[in-house]
Amino acid sequence: MRTITMYLVAILTLLLMQSVVAQDNYIEKVEILKEQKLSITRQEKEALKFEIAEIVKQLENGEITEEEANALKMKAAEKRALNIEERIAIIDNKISLLERNNGEVIELDTLNYKFAFELGLGDDDDKLFGIRINENRHRKEPVYDRRTYSDIVLAVGLNNAIIEGQSLNDSPYKIGGSRFFEMGWQWRTRVFKNTNFLRFNYGFSFQFNGLKPKDNQYLVSLDNGQSELQEFEYELNKSKFRMDNLVFPMHFEFGPSKLSTTEKTIRYSLHNKFRVGLGGYAGFNLGTRQKLKYTIDGEKVKDKLKRSYNTNDLVYGLSAYAGVDGVLLYVKYDLNPIFKDAALEQRNISLGLRFDL
């Protein structure tokens, strides 16, 4: 008898908890719907503001007359007023339905489920196996005005160094053989509320700047703490010096964009649009290394040397890009010298293509 009583108490407790949870979920749904009601008028007014701005632009460009502009404004205002009325009515009906049924509302499977797979024999009601994924339980409404977007950034191109008192043509590094690679992530935020002409781009990137010395030379760390290029004692098949940096780029980006509006969203697109970015970066040197390949008595030797080479720990510079859509011409220039206390200061410079994916 005691065991039966314990089971009954447990079952009653579970039923009570389920009822309380269901009641909480129902109240939460009603509160969410009430919050949506408050945002409908704001959304429609914002959309109307953009539509009227487009009409005014057409009027100023002489595409329409003042009479046509007034008619278009009136039509847009009537449409938005009707949208407000009907959208609020829809939400009022949902709230009324939930309150009348204490949150227990029967919904069609086609609305409740995004994906369904069933396998079985016989009638439709006699299924052997099935999977259903509910898409509505934690579904969020799309953001009405999305001001921030993000992209993967990849860049590749030629790399070299500008040496104090010398031109780039006199560089001791190979023009074609020295290259750079960059990859990272950026966020793009619209600066002004009602125009997307100016954006602020920021993020992080890993830069790999490679330099290949000319004339069978390699980089040597001297006892006085400096580093310089010296001729290698054997014939080098490859000599490459690389600096790996973590930087945080920041750019102001300029350029037109295409505005798209719906009843629920406002979006700006940069597809097939020309844009220019001006800014810079700052970060840290993660490591420097040198790779040497040569042959001694017919035996191939490969040396991988990982040292500081007296390079600067802090990295900072200027960068710019320009192009259409996600393919951009890209240039960056380090303001910090590559080596500390060098007799002649060297600064890294890169030119290539940048891809915003």
Side-chain angles (χ1 to χ4, degrees), residues 213 218 236 238-242 289-293 302-305 309:
Y218 75 118
L236 283 168
K238 183 176 183 179
S239 174
K240 182 180 179 181
F241 173 69
R242 196 183 82 196
R289 62 199 72 209
Q290 186 171 206
K291 183 185 292 185
L292 304 174
K293 291 183 180 180
K302 182 190 294 184
D303 291 337
K304 293 183 179 180
L305 310 173
Y309 290 101

Side-chain angles (χ1 to χ4, degrees), residues 293-309:
K293 291 183 180 180
Y294 51 96
T295 303
I296 301 179
D297 298 329
E299 183 178 351
K300 294 182 178 180
V301 181
K302 182 190 294 184
D303 291 337
K304 293 183 179 180
L305 310 173
K306 187 175 181 181
R307 301 171 184 170
S308 69
Y309 290 101

Side-chain angles (χ1 to χ4, degrees), residues 22 102 104 124 149 240 261 272 276 297 341:
N102 293 324
E104 298 178 1
D124 289 341
Y149 298 80
K240 182 180 179 181
T261 61
N272 289 334
V276 176
D297 298 329
D341 306 321

Side-chain angles (χ1 to χ4, degrees), residues 99-320:
E99 291 177 342
R100 185 166 57 251
N101 296 278
N102 293 324
E104 298 178 1
V105 180
I106 300 173
E107 297 182 359
L108 295 175
D109 286 349
T110 54
L111 296 177
N112 259 350
Y113 300 98
K114 183 176 182 180
F115 172 79
F117 173 78
E118 294 179 340
L119 174 65
L121 300 174
D123 297 330
D124 289 341
D125 294 331
D126 185 19
K127 299 296 180 184
L128 179 65
F129 175 73
I131 297 174
R132 290 187 182 274
I133 299 175
N134 191 323
E135 73 159 346
N136 288 331
R137 181 171 297 174
H138 301 293
R139 183 183 176 190
K140 294 182 179 179
E141 289 293 325
V143 177
Y144 177 65
D145 185 6
R146 183 180 170 192
R147 297 186 66 166
T148 299
Y149 298 80
S150 59
D151 301 303
I152 296 173
V153 176
L154 296 177
V156 63
L158 301 178
N159 196 67
N160 217 287
I162 294 180
I163 301 176
E164 183 182 7
Q166 299 180 14
S167 68
L168 191 59
N169 292 329
D170 299 326
S171 172
Y173 306 106
K174 297 178 181 178
I175 299 294
S178 302
R179 303 181 185 93
F180 83 96
F181 176 73
E182 181 177 334
M183 63 179 179
W185 191 272
Q186 74 164 3
W187 289 268
R188 183 176 67 251
T189 299
R190 191 170 84 243
V191 174
F192 299 111
K193 183 178 181 181
N194 296 324
T195 176
N196 193 45
F197 185 79
L198 176 63
R199 284 88 63 181
F200 179 56
N201 291 9
Y202 50 95
F204 63 91
S205 290
F206 293 96
Q207 294 178 348
F208 306 93
N209 297 324
L211 295 170
K212 287 188 176 181
K214 300 176 182 177
D215 303 326
N216 207 57
Q217 295 186 99
Y218 75 118
L219 194 66
V220 179
S221 295
L222 304 179
D223 294 336
N224 60 5
Q226 296 186 7
S227 297
E228 68 176 22
L229 291 173
Q230 294 183 1
E231 187 173 355
F232 196 64
E233 58 181 322
Y234 301 103
E235 185 68 26
L236 283 168
N237 298 320
K238 183 176 183 179
S239 174
K240 182 180 179 181
F241 173 69
R242 196 183 82 196
M243 299 160 286
D244 302 340
N245 304 325
L246 169 62
V247 297
F248 302 91
M250 291 178 288
H251 297 90
F252 280 106
E253 185 179 283
F254 309 85
S257 58
K258 182 180 178 181
L259 172 64
S260 300
T261 61
T262 67
E263 293 184 358
K264 294 186 177 181
T265 60
I266 289 178
R267 294 291 184 267
Y268 290 91
S269 172
L270 300 179
H271 181 62
N272 289 334
K273 299 295 183 180
F274 179 78
R275 52 195 176 113
V276 176
L278 301 173
Y281 51 90
F284 311 94
N285 183 342
L286 299 177
T288 53
R289 62 199 72 209
Q290 186 171 206
K291 183 185 292 185
L292 304 174
K293 291 183 180 180
Y294 51 96
T295 303
I296 301 179
D297 298 329
E299 183 178 351
K300 294 182 178 180
V301 181
K302 182 190 294 184
D303 291 337
K304 293 183 179 180
L305 310 173
K306 187 175 181 181
R307 301 171 184 170
S308 69
Y309 290 101
N310 202 37
T311 54
N312 271 300
D313 297 327
L314 295 179
V315 179
Y316 51 93
L318 302 174
S319 55

Side-chain angles (χ1 to χ4, degrees), residues 80-95:
R80 294 300 169 184
L82 188 59
N83 286 350
I84 292 172
E85 181 181 345
E86 292 183 350
R87 290 178 65 188
I88 288 178
I90 290 172
I91 291 182
D92 283 336
N93 287 335
K94 288 183 179 180
I95 293 174

